[in-house]
Amino acid sequence: MTKGSKQELRVGFLFSLTGPTAIIETGQYEAAMIAVEEINRSPEWQSRQVLVPVVRDIASDPFQAARCAQELCEREEVLALVGCYTSACRKHVLPVLEAYDRLLLYPTLYEGLEMHSHVIYCGPTPNQQLRYFVPWMIQHFGKRIYVIGSEYIYPLETNRQFRMLARLYGGRIVKERYVPLGTTRFEEEMEEIARLRPDMIFSTLVGVSVPAFYEAYARRGFRPETIPICSPITSERENAAMSPGTAVGHYACHSYFQSVETDANRRFIRLFRQKRGEKLNVSAPMEYAYVAVHLLAEAVCRAECSDTDGLRRALQGLEWVAPEGLVRVDPYNYHLWCTPRIGRANAEGQFDIVWESRAPLRAEPLDAVVTYEDQIVRNWERFVLHKQPLNLLNKVLVDSWQRSRQAGVDPFLTHHPRTLSTEERELRADAWKMWLDHLEKQASPYVDLFPGAFLVVADQDRVLLSVYPESAVAELWTPGVVWTEEAIGTNAIDLALKNEALTVFRGPEHFCALLHRFCVVAVPVSKPLKGVIALVGIGNSVVEENVVKSFAAFVSNLEREIHAARRSLSNAPYGDRAVRKPQSERAVQPRAHGAQFTFHHLVGRSQALREVIEEAKHAARTEANILILGESGTGKELLAHAIHNGSLRRDGPFVAINCAAIPKNLIESELFGYVEGAFTGAKKGGKIGKFEAAHNGTLFLDEVGELPLEVQAALLRALQQKEIVRVGDHVPVHVNVRIIAATNRDLQTEIAYKGTFRADLYFRLNVFELRMPPLRERLEDIPDLVRFFLDELGEQYSIKKHVTPAALQKLMRYSWPGNIRELRNVIERAYHTHPGQEIDDITLPGETRVGLPAPSRSRTANRKLDLVEKETIYRTLMETEWNISYAAKILGISRTTLYRKIKLFHLTPNRERSP
């Protein structure tokens, strides 16, 4: 399109001018419009072309962002898009970019871990912020850190990387807490901070939560001199939203501050203030938006054509002198090189720069921070090769390295220096015979936890007594070698005994290079003998937390079993001394304590089902919590029964509770029990809850996604502390319970976009994640399931029936939205409606007679019903001021259904009344 002799280039802008993040995005929008005006006034643009901004308010809503992006691409035919602030909005827009082949210039810092060919990332990644910010904070303020963030993708992922770096530099997280996006009340968090007294607070709060948190901090009487707030998000824009002086003394890390001394920045500030007023401050996200528009304009000038491929080629390697300094689009990962800076807030609402890097730093989006292992290798080289002191690493590790050096251990040993004779080793091993026999029988599942692993047993003198399997790395792990720190340097076996605690050593944490290819999980034992059992992995520098937990639980159970066997042997008459057959060798049968099914009851031969069963069997052998995902009717509860009966807890109780079937005001008392007089109607003497009923067994939480947030917090405490408090009581009760949870909801969506599920609870439950496939993904199992259901019915009614191949084919062509539950109902109905032994046709849902489809509504009738439903939902939402929970309750539907209807009908608070 042209205007006179000028070519109009339409650019879409997606910013939240309303909603929780509007406090930031309105500033980004203003900066972007200033860039558009500046570009259109430039000589090279005035004569040939003009940028035409087409703006949409996405209202901090990911679904709205996707709808607006589609409208801009389809109806407005924009050249490219600029905007989005939250990662949730960006991720919802990605499919639109792919479908319409458009570029998004994303003007925001984000969590990394993405590299999309349709996105130019104009804000820093965590490595450009945290790599220097974390050690600087710990060096200046201390190692005890309180972490708080908004509950969606960016804070969750950024804080994960922050935890890794903090650990590297000796930091310790005293508490990690997340709040829903838009939270403005922080009294509970302030009480927690007052109780914990951390050295600093690391905040990844976003939007209106930022000034609210800082205001609550100031009201509580905290001072930045004692507990400063450090944030990679807080900027001049948030400072301006606080009461005067509230932000003073706190710290932030960005590639841009208003106080940057460059000619380009002075020009940028002058332009902005001419447009918006002298007193307004400029923030980093605003500068990123300004830079994004200029980069797009530069690419248009450089490109030979204005299509997406041409723009992408023009942007690759493009350099521009931005207000923050020179920036460059990396030609390989589409991220900007930028200069990290640390600032301290002053009384004017700006930041005084206290540190900056000497040169721009490359973004590392897919490896946003240097790995822990890489840093350990670098420090090991400094310590061993260059004899340089170490001040920032974990003190336990540093002390052990120093002791190893003082003991004269050669870091480049080629063999173990101390090995006992075979006779002496066998003499020591005799005392461990029962241990070694049990290990040989029960170790296989744990050796399979990661490839190439093996088990070793050492006594209290660090003498290796046994290796299982015997063929494992014999030249290094031969029985009889001595694993003292003085002999072989820093190692997990020695430190596990020294500290009497589980110890995990990853490759380069060992002092001797000989051991750098091993990862060792060492668990100390003390009953009836003192020593260590260790799981050793080859070539595994990283071992997952669930592996550590499951192996520790295995050793703990083994210790209790052998201790009990020793006591029974010592107390039994001489002729009756016999060790009970280990649990792993006894036949597994369903118990009468609640778990009625085993893995044999999972009918089917499909690859999808077999994979789930194998994963479940592996998970069952551990003590870790399990989260089962899947649609309704797929058999999640049956799988939970099977896992319990395949676990070491099979002799304990199996207690199930459907979280969606209990009124919200009663769910807490059902889970944790109550004491007499706790509430009106409480039974005399009180009542134990499901947790206590499941002690030493398994608690199955079905529909866990329906738990209210306040109950989720109580459940998280119970899982973390392994104790509960009955309603109306204050005395904690210890419980030993393994949790299996199930839900048909997408919990990650609930966390990221709706704030209805706690991220910390999700990660606590989701040690093992199993997904039961819907029946439409395992149609080859239908014949087996049909036979199984007909056999059951035949036994019940003493009449055997079967289906014909034609009827079976009909079943396999149906999509089964109700899954196995629906199939069972269809088969049961067919069994009772066919008088003979052969079922030759089956009525599927939606059919009124055998073989005949149900009459469908006309399109006109469908449309009328849709319009009525749409208007009813919209009217209810407007009357409740878009309170989703309240509206869903009035309409008699779940919140999930209401969200789906809002998306289906494209409803927004600003929609005109005509449907």
Side-chain angles (χ1 to χ4, degrees):
M1 183 182 294
T2 61
K3 183 178 180 181
S5 60
K6 293 184 181 181
Q7 180 187 13
E8 284 192 355
L9 299 175
R10 301 171 70 79
V11 178
F13 289 88
L14 299 171
F15 290 111
S16 298
L17 306 180
T18 58
T21 58
I23 187 175
I24 295 297
E25 294 187 67
T26 51
Q28 289 186 299
Y29 161 72
E30 292 164 356
M33 293 304 102
I34 288 171
V36 169
E37 293 178 13
E38 184 183 11
I39 291 163
N40 285 336
R41 288 197 306 267
S42 64
E44 60 268 34
W45 279 75
Q46 279 187 335
S47 60
R48 297 186 295 121
Q49 50 206 1
V50 60
L51 284 182
V52 178
V54 187
V55 182
R56 293 292 183 271
D57 176 12
I58 61 176
S60 307
D61 181 350
F63 299 105
Q64 176 81 342
R67 287 195 295 271
C68 290
Q70 182 174 355
E71 180 187 345
L72 290 171
C73 294
E74 186 175 321
R75 297 182 187 174
E76 301 293 345
E77 297 182 350
V78 296
L79 171 70
L81 298 168
V82 178
C84 295
Y85 178 69
T86 66
S87 288
C89 288
R90 184 190 73 253
K91 287 183 178 295
H92 267 60
V93 167
L94 292 180
V96 179
L97 302 175
E98 294 168 351
Y100 292 91
D101 191 25
R102 295 292 193 278
L103 283 180
L104 168 70
L105 284 92
Y106 181 58
T108 307
L109 56 96
Y110 85 116
E111 71 280 353
L113 304 182
E114 185 178 287
M115 192 170 70
H116 199 285
S117 60
H118 287 80
V119 183
I120 305 299
Y121 303 85
C122 302
T125 55
N127 80 288
Q128 294 171 309
Q129 291 186 291
L130 301 183
R131 181 175 295 176
Y132 298 109
F133 196 23
V134 173
W136 189 91
M137 287 188 297
I138 291 175
Q139 184 178 21
H140 284 81
F141 308 130
K143 298 181 179 181
R144 301 179 70 254
I145 309 165
Y146 182 94
V147 177
I148 185 166
S150 297
E151 200 162 27
Y152 77 102
I153 300 169
Y154 168 76
L156 293 169
E157 182 55 38
T158 299
N159 290 348
R160 183 189 70 80
Q161 299 175 42
F162 172 80
R163 287 195 302 273
M164 186 168 68
L165 276 174
R167 177 183 131 206
L168 171 67
Y169 292 103
R172 183 166 71 88
I173 310 300
V174 298
K175 184 71 177 181
E176 186 168 354
R177 179 181 278 268
Y178 294 92
V179 299
L181 192 64
T183 296
T184 56
R185 297 183 62 87
F186 292 98
E187 288 77 8
E188 183 180 345
E189 287 75 12
M190 292 304 135
E191 291 299 324
E192 205 166 50
I193 291 168
R195 177 172 55 83
L196 295 171
R197 303 300 298 179
D199 296 323
M200 75 183 96
I201 299 166
F202 183 73
S203 169
T204 47
L205 292 169
V206 171
V208 294
S209 299
V210 177
F213 182 77
Y214 282 66
E215 297 275 7
Y217 170 100
R219 286 195 303 272
R220 192 62 174 74
F222 297 129
R223 303 291 300 165
E225 293 81 9
T226 53
I227 310 177
I229 302 173
C230 303
S231 173
I233 296 176
T234 305
S235 68
E236 292 88 344
R237 193 77 175 182
E238 288 94 345
N239 289 354
M242 305 176 198
S243 301
T246 300
V248 174
H250 297 299
Y251 294 83
C253 179
H254 292 285
S255 57
Y256 173 84
F257 291 111
Q258 184 175 320
S259 52
V260 170
E261 290 290 338
T262 66
D263 291 338
N265 187 39
R266 284 187 280 270
R267 184 175 65 253
F268 172 48
I269 295 170
R270 184 172 62 252
L271 285 170
F272 185 81
R273 289 185 166 176
Q274 286 173 358
K275 188 74 175 177
R276 301 294 301 151
E278 284 294 325
K279 294 185 178 180
L280 288 176
N281 286 336
V282 184
S283 67
M286 294 166 66
E287 194 257 0
Y288 304 150
Y290 176 82
V291 170
V293 178
H294 271 283
L295 288 174
L296 177 60
E298 290 286 325
V300 169
C301 290
R302 286 179 50 172
E304 297 177 358
C305 55
S306 59
D307 63 7
T308 297
D309 284 338
L311 286 177
R312 188 184 290 112
R313 287 193 299 271
L315 282 162
Q316 289 177 319
L318 178 63
E319 292 185 348
W320 188 66
V321 180
E324 66 185 76
L326 183 68
V327 296
R328 177 174 179 261
V329 181
D330 191 281
Y332 303 105
N333 62 32
Y334 305 111
H335 290 67
L336 293 194
W337 289 60
C338 61
T339 303
R341 296 179 171 93
I342 300 172
R344 184 176 186 270
N346 58 32
E348 286 74 42
Q350 299 182 31
F351 287 89
D352 297 323
I353 297 173
V354 297
W355 180 90
E356 63 182 337
S357 71
R358 298 177 181 176
L361 183 66
R362 183 178 187 267
E364 297 173 5
L366 301 184
D367 185 17
V369 292
V370 175
T371 66
Y372 176 76
E373 285 70 31
D374 287 343
Q375 290 283 4
I376 291 293
V377 168
R378 294 178 187 177
N379 281 279
W380 184 86
E381 290 173 350
R382 289 179 61 201
F383 184 77
V384 170
L385 301 178
H386 307 296
K387 305 297 189 291
Q388 294 179 0
L390 299 172
N391 298 318
L392 297 177
L393 285 173
N394 180 284
K395 190 174 187 304
V396 173
L397 186 61
V398 171
D399 289 348
S400 180
W401 280 6
Q402 290 173 342
R403 288 195 302 268
S404 300
R405 175 189 282 174
Q406 291 166 1
V409 177
D410 181 0
F412 301 103
L413 284 171
T414 57
H415 61 280
H416 282 282
R418 286 192 60 196
T419 304
L420 300 184
S421 65
T422 302
E423 293 77 12
E424 188 175 353
R425 195 267 304 173
E426 290 179 349
L427 187 63
R428 288 173 176 268
D430 282 344
W432 286 78
K433 188 177 188 309
M434 185 178 291
W435 275 99
L436 303 180
D437 289 345
H438 275 61
L439 273 173
E440 188 173 348
K441 294 171 183 175
Q442 300 189 35
S444 296
Y446 298 91
V447 170
D448 294 339
L449 283 172
F450 51 96
F454 54 95
L455 285 175
V456 298
V457 180
D459 65 13
Q460 64 179 341
D461 296 323
R462 286 69 165 169
V463 176
L464 203 64
L465 303 177
S466 177
V467 179
Y468 178 84
E470 293 181 357
S471 59
V473 204
E475 72 277 10
L476 292 177
W477 299 87
T478 306
V481 297
V482 180
W483 281 85
T484 59
E485 195 174 70
E486 294 78 11
I488 199 66
T490 303
N491 68 86
I493 292 173
D494 183 90
L495 283 178
L497 277 167
K498 270 192 174 80
N499 301 326
E500 296 184 350
L502 181 148
T503 302
V504 182
F505 263 62
R506 297 163 176 84
E509 289 178 322
H510 294 94
F511 182 75
C512 289
L514 180 73
L515 304 176
H516 282 189
R517 65 190 181 103
F518 297 103
C519 173
V520 182
V521 182
V523 183
V525 295
S526 57
K527 295 178 183 178
L529 296 170
K530 192 169 184 178
V532 172
I533 297 179
L535 177 67
V536 184
I538 303 174
N540 288 275
S541 60
V542 178
V543 58
E544 296 179 2
E545 184 180 1
N546 64 295
V547 173
V548 176
K549 286 182 178 178
S550 60
F551 181 66
F554 162 68
V555 175
S556 178
N557 288 335
L558 196 63
E559 185 176 14
R560 285 195 298 270
E561 184 176 331
I562 292 176
H563 184 54
R566 287 275 181 122
R567 285 192 301 176
S568 65
L569 281 175
S570 61
N571 295 333
Y574 181 80
D576 294 334
R577 290 185 182 177
V579 180
R580 187 184 179 193
K581 195 173 186 180
Q583 287 184 357
S584 60
E585 294 183 22
R586 300 200 297 271
V588 179
Q589 298 294 334
R591 309 294 194 224
H593 49 55
Q596 305 170 17
F597 309 106
T598 68
F599 289 112
H600 295 294
H601 290 89
L602 289 163
V603 178
R605 63 187 72 184
S606 64
Q607 180 65 25
L609 182 64
R610 288 203 305 270
E611 288 177 359
V612 172
I613 292 174
E614 286 306 310
E615 291 175 12
K617 286 180 177 178
H618 173 64
R621 295 191 292 259
T622 76
E623 288 287 295
N625 295 331
I626 297 171
L627 179 62
I628 305 175
L629 304 176
E631 299 174 8
S632 294
T634 52
K636 299 188 292 295
E637 183 168 358
L638 191 151
L639 182 64
H641 283 243
I643 291 171
H644 174 82
N645 278 325
S647 73
L648 296 173
R649 293 175 176 262
R650 62 173 69 92
D651 290 319
F654 177 86
V655 178
I657 179 171
N658 189 320
C659 302
I662 300 172
K664 291 183 179 180
N665 59 332
L666 297 179
I667 187 79
E668 193 164 2
S669 61
E670 282 291 320
L671 284 172
F672 308 120
Y674 57 84
V675 296
E676 183 177 337
F679 50 82
T680 303
K683 289 183 179 180
K684 186 176 181 180
K687 179 185 175 183
I688 68 168
K690 302 299 185 186
F691 263 90
E692 289 181 81
H695 183 61
N696 289 331
T698 301
L699 177 60
F700 176 55
L701 301 176
D702 199 8
E703 302 298 345
V704 71
E706 303 295 331
L707 283 176
L709 281 170
E710 59 273 17
V711 179
Q712 292 179 31
L715 175 59
L716 180 64
R717 286 196 299 272
L719 297 180
Q720 289 175 332
Q721 300 170 10
K722 299 189 183 301
E723 61 184 27
I724 56 97
V725 177
R726 295 184 187 178
V727 175
D729 201 359
H730 63 277
V731 179
V733 179
H734 174 73
V735 287
N736 175 20
V737 173
R738 196 259 191 95
I739 298 291
I740 301 177
T743 182
N744 59 10
R745 289 190 177 195
D746 183 348
L747 293 186
Q748 291 185 333
T749 298
E750 301 289 325
I751 293 167
Y753 309 134
K754 302 176 186 177
T756 57
F757 203 83
R758 295 178 62 103
D760 43 8
L761 177 59
Y762 170 76
F763 292 123
R764 178 69 64 172
L765 294 173
N766 189 30
V767 178
F768 280 99
E769 181 179 290
L770 305 174
R771 178 182 174 271
M772 283 297 287
L775 187 54
R776 62 182 174 274
E777 294 180 9
R778 41 179 291 219
L779 292 175
E780 62 267 43
D781 290 340
I782 287 179
D784 291 335
L785 288 165
V786 169
R787 281 192 294 272
F788 180 80
F789 295 145
L790 288 175
D791 287 346
E792 277 192 338
L793 291 165
E795 289 181 12
Q796 183 177 354
Y797 296 102
S798 302
I799 300 175
K800 294 287 185 180
K801 296 187 179 185
H802 67 275
V803 298
T804 63
L808 196 59
Q809 284 297 317
K810 185 176 182 181
L811 292 173
M812 295 184 70
R813 287 196 299 268
Y814 183 58
S815 61
W816 299 107
N819 294 297
I820 298 174
R821 186 182 293 125
E822 185 181 18
L823 174 63
R824 184 187 183 91
N825 293 340
V826 167
I827 296 302
E828 188 170 0
R829 181 171 63 243
Y831 180 90
H832 291 300
T833 55
H834 283 73
Q837 291 186 325
E838 185 176 82
I839 302 173
D840 57 1
D841 202 356
I842 291 178
T843 304
L844 293 173
E847 295 177 341
T848 55
R849 269 202 338 246
V850 175
L852 294 177
S856 60
R857 296 181 299 178
S858 68
R859 290 186 179 181
T860 304
N862 277 334
R863 178 167 174 75
K864 287 181 178 178
L865 287 173
D866 287 345
L867 288 174
V868 170
E869 183 181 21
K870 182 177 182 179
E871 181 61 27
T872 302
I873 290 174
Y874 179 71
R875 187 171 59 250
T876 306
L877 287 166
M878 295 300 290
E879 289 172 355
T880 59
E881 297 182 347
W882 282 75
N883 184 318
I884 300 297
S885 298
Y886 189 30
K889 190 175 295 184
I890 293 173
L891 292 165
I893 59 179
S894 69
R895 286 186 302 174
T896 303
T897 301
L898 182 53
Y899 276 115
R900 183 165 50 81
K901 295 290 185 182
I902 290 171
K903 182 179 180 182
L904 175 67
F905 295 133
H906 304 292
L907 299 177
T908 69
N910 299 323
R911 188 182 73 87
E912 295 180 3
R913 285 301 304 271
S914 57

